[in-house]
Amino acid sequence: TGQHVVVFGSMEPTAEGVLLAHGAGRVTTVEYNNLTYEHPLLTQIKPEELQQQHQAFDAAVSLSSFDHDGLGRYGDPVDPTGDVKAMATVGKVLKPTGLLYLTVPIGPDVVVWNLHRRYGRARLPLLLQGWDVVDRYGWDADLLEADANWRRSYEPVHVLRRVQKQEL
């Protein structure tokens, strides 16, 4: 209750509204595009402004956002490791005890240009490097290799905590 939560890649305030309804004190949305809604407890910053937010947030939410980072579809610069860099950024702006609630498409590794990445046995460990898995909701490891249709998405929730430097 009263926490400052950051939401990554959200054009509509669905997650933000749920967070406020469940007691978040304020919510900051990080988005390349200009948002069209206003609320006194919601603010927006651009990704380049995150550098000034060192350990500013109690929790972070990325719902099907980082799998798009670096593919240029939403106004972001093309960068093959944009997703991994986004995870590193979260680690810098989240307080040491903060949690990241992350969803990304799971299945055999693939990039569907310029739509999204899907994370399997190769790319998922790379994305989660430096993070401890606290919990998972809807997780089925068998789907890392199951046949998948890029038009349909399986996205369990990963609850993550940044590995502290002394643990690395």
Side-chain angles (χ1 to χ4, degrees), residues 2 19 40 52-53 75 107 118 122 143 161 164 168:
L19 290 164
Q52 303 150 1
Q53 305 294 321
R118 189 174 57 220
L143 294 178
R161 181 176 286 120
Q164 300 304 308
L168 292 175

Side-chain angles (χ1 to χ4, degrees), residues 53-153:
Q53 305 294 321
H54 182 71
Q55 293 187 357
F57 302 103
D58 299 294
V61 176
S62 175
L63 305 177
S64 191
S65 176
F66 293 164
D67 52 294
H68 303 284
D69 277 14
L71 299 180
R73 184 179 182 95
Y74 295 103
D76 53 313
V78 175
D79 181 345
T81 60
D83 56 341
V84 174
K85 289 177 181 173
M87 291 290 285
T89 298
V90 176
K92 293 175 186 171
V93 301
L94 201 56
K95 291 180 180 177
T97 58
L99 296 176
L100 167 61
Y101 298 85
L102 173 75
T103 69
V104 293
I106 300 296
D109 292 286
V110 69
V111 173
V112 181
W113 183 258
N114 70 347
L115 180 59
H116 69 193
R117 297 174 185 84
R118 189 174 57 220
Y119 296 84
R121 297 228 181 261
R123 191 86 183 174
L124 186 60
L126 181 64
L127 187 71
L128 300 182
Q129 186 173 7
W131 294 87
D132 285 326
V133 176
V134 175
D135 209 344
R136 286 182 167 139
Y137 298 93
W139 177 250
D140 184 348
D142 292 338
L143 294 178
L144 287 168
E145 297 174 350
D147 288 338
N149 179 336
W150 64 268
R151 291 181 189 95
R152 296 177 63 202
S153 192

